[in-house]
Amino acid sequence: MEAGMNVLHDMGIQATHYLQQNYQSSQSWFLFISFAADLRNTFFILFPIWFHLCEAVGVKLIWVAVIGDWLNLVFKWILFGQRPYWWVRETGYYGNASTPVIQQFPLTCETGPGSPSGHAMGSAGVYYVMVTALLSIALGKKQPTIKDRFLRTTLWAGFWAVQVCVCLSRVFIAAHFPHQVIAGVISGMAVAEAFRHVPAIYSASLRRYLGTTLVLFSFALGFYLLLKALGVDLLWTLEKAERWCDRPEWVHIDTTPFAGLLRNLGILFGLGLALNSPMYRESCKGKVGRQLPFRVSCIAASLLLLHLFDSFKPPAKVELLFYVLSFCKSAAVPTSVPWRSSPTALPRCSAGATRRSCS
């Protein structure tokens, strides 16, 4: 088993080495793709845009991103995946032969296990939701024409182009092996497809959101404590990241497993608070909220507000305080977006588009 994984890892190192040697001029592009594929951009950019255009899609984006990233954490804790930037420094696979030289970047030194890729999984899930939503809006249930088939082909070609770019980016910066990004894409698509058959998310009560948040956190914490009691350290990757990262400042606390967990659960809980607040229910009554110009102005205001909000960085010196403030900050993100929404518009975008009666 170990010999087979060493061969697989070596193939990944060779792929990283090849990309870095032959596509060094594309370094800025690869770094941008890795930055853009971060789930933070789903919460701070894609969610407010979609929520004001079609609430159902915005809600689904949050659920798919949060549940997908939670599953990604559980998978990583089970699979114990290595990352290229530390594996190549520790392995004895190369013996007396020269070890391939792998360059590191500011986005390389993530601190969690590597399999499956969270960036690839999140990107695949989020873009799968958006592509299927666009097709639902544009095509509905009518008989497909040549123009419709062209649109479908174009959107799915764009989807796969994005996934290829994300995968190559993660391999280029030595954050993941190729098999890890492939597993991430498949897993992300599976999560997004599963949520096409879960209409309950569009009418979930605050109690449902709170219960889901507590269950996800309790399971992750319980799983961690159980394995720790059995002598298995699920945070074994932190030492490797700190030891093998070329620059200490590239190791960030917000890439740790529990930081991502609390950040995402804060987003989910905040969405439940927002959708079940009296202010939100009152905002549904205005007919002006159904007009496109007003929606566009809401999108612009939300993006500006969230950009300013994201500039606040919780202090990282005290770990527990950082986690608590990260959860609170994330919970406040959705509440600053749906202060105006009219979910009755664009009823064909999803079966959940009429989740509330606002007429």
Side-chain angles (χ1 to χ4, degrees), residues 50 127-128 130-139 148-163:
W50 273 105
Y127 279 85
Y128 190 94
M130 292 193 294
V131 167
T132 53
L134 288 171
L135 290 174
S136 178
I137 294 171
L139 306 182
D148 295 335
R149 292 191 181 95
F150 175 77
L151 176 63
R152 186 185 299 274
T153 301
T154 301
L155 287 176
W156 282 117
F159 169 85
W160 285 110
V162 170
Q163 304 319 309

Side-chain angles (χ1 to χ4, degrees), residues 151-220:
L151 176 63
R152 186 185 299 274
T153 301
T154 301
L155 287 176
W156 282 117
F159 169 85
W160 285 110
V162 170
Q163 304 319 309
V164 169
C165 287
V166 171
C167 292
L168 290 177
S169 169
R170 303 304 289 170
V171 174
F172 176 87
I173 68 173
H176 287 290
F177 293 101
H179 69 278
Q180 295 173 343
V181 293
I182 293 173
V185 171
I186 296 173
S187 302
M189 292 176 63
V191 172
E193 178 61 28
F195 271 94
R196 295 183 67 181
H197 309 286
V198 187
I201 62 175
Y202 305 112
S203 57
S205 63
L206 178 57
R207 180 178 295 181
R208 175 70 62 85
Y209 276 96
L210 177 60
T212 303
T213 301
L214 291 175
V215 167
L216 295 179
F217 177 75
S218 299
F219 182 91

Side-chain angles (χ1 to χ4, degrees), residues 28-332:
S28 298
W29 170 250
F30 284 129
L31 290 175
F32 168 75
I33 291 296
S34 272
F35 167 78
D38 193 292
L39 279 183
R40 178 180 283 104
N41 293 309
T42 297
F43 303 141
F44 283 86
I45 298 177
L46 298 179
F47 167 66
I49 292 175
W50 273 105
F51 190 89
H52 286 297
L53 293 178
C54 179
E55 178 192 325
V57 180
V59 171
K60 187 190 288 187
L61 280 177
I62 295 296
W63 278 91
V64 168
V66 170
I67 300 300
D69 207 51
W70 181 84
L71 287 172
N72 182 264
L73 173 64
V74 174
F75 288 154
K76 284 181 175 180
W77 278 351
I78 294 175
L79 297 177
F80 280 71
Q82 302 282 343
R83 287 187 184 267
Y85 77 92
W86 74 57
W87 181 86
V88 74
R89 301 281 187 88
E90 292 186 338
T91 183
Y93 176 77
Y94 297 103
N96 296 327
S98 58
T99 302
V101 178
I102 299 299
Q103 185 179 356
Q104 295 183 17
F105 305 90
L107 299 179
T108 298
C109 302
E110 297 210 12
T111 59
S115 187
S117 166
H119 278 69
M121 189 170 177
S123 173
V126 166
Y127 279 85
Y128 190 94
V129 169
M130 292 193 294
V131 167
T132 53
L134 288 171
L135 290 174
S136 178
I137 294 171
L139 306 182
K141 296 182 179 180
K142 64 180 181 180
Q143 197 69 20
T145 63
I146 295 179
K147 184 179 179 180
D148 295 335
R149 292 191 181 95
F150 175 77
L151 176 63
R152 186 185 299 274
T153 301
T154 301
L155 287 176
W156 282 117
F159 169 85
W160 285 110
V162 170
Q163 304 319 309
V164 169
C165 287
V166 171
C167 292
L168 290 177
S169 169
R170 303 304 289 170
V171 174
F172 176 87
I173 68 173
H176 287 290
F177 293 101
H179 69 278
Q180 295 173 343
V181 293
I182 293 173
V185 171
I186 296 173
S187 302
M189 292 176 63
V191 172
E193 178 61 28
F195 271 94
R196 295 183 67 181
H197 309 286
V198 187
I201 62 175
Y202 305 112
S203 57
S205 63
L206 178 57
R207 180 178 295 181
R208 175 70 62 85
Y209 276 96
L210 177 60
T212 303
T213 301
L214 291 175
V215 167
L216 295 179
F217 177 75
S218 299
F219 182 91
L221 181 61
F223 188 56
Y224 168 76
L225 293 176
L226 173 63
L227 290 187
K228 187 175 183 179
L230 297 175
V232 179
D233 181 16
L234 292 179
L235 301 182
W236 59 278
T237 57
L238 293 177
E239 183 273 333
K240 292 181 179 293
E242 293 172 350
R243 180 179 181 185
W244 297 115
C245 188
D246 286 345
R247 298 188 183 180
E249 64 270 21
W250 288 352
V251 180
H252 301 288
I253 188 174
D254 60 353
T255 67
T256 59
F258 277 108
L261 174 68
L262 292 172
R263 181 171 57 246
N264 293 334
L265 294 184
I267 290 285
L268 184 64
F269 179 62
L271 180 64
L273 284 176
L275 295 181
N276 291 277
S277 66
M279 182 183 298
Y280 169 73
R281 288 193 293 268
E282 288 295 322
S283 71
C284 287
K285 293 180 180 180
K287 291 185 179 180
V288 67
R290 304 177 186 180
Q291 299 174 6
L292 183 60
F294 187 74
R295 289 171 174 271
V296 173
S297 66
C298 288
I299 291 173
S302 296
L303 291 175
L304 177 60
L305 178 62
L306 290 179
H307 175 72
L308 296 174
F309 190 66
D310 191 35
S311 63
F312 166 71
K313 305 298 182 183
K317 291 184 178 180
V318 181
E319 212 169 315
L320 180 60
L321 178 62
F322 175 84
Y323 290 150
V324 172
L325 291 179
S326 294
F327 179 87
C328 295
K329 174 184 175 180
S330 298

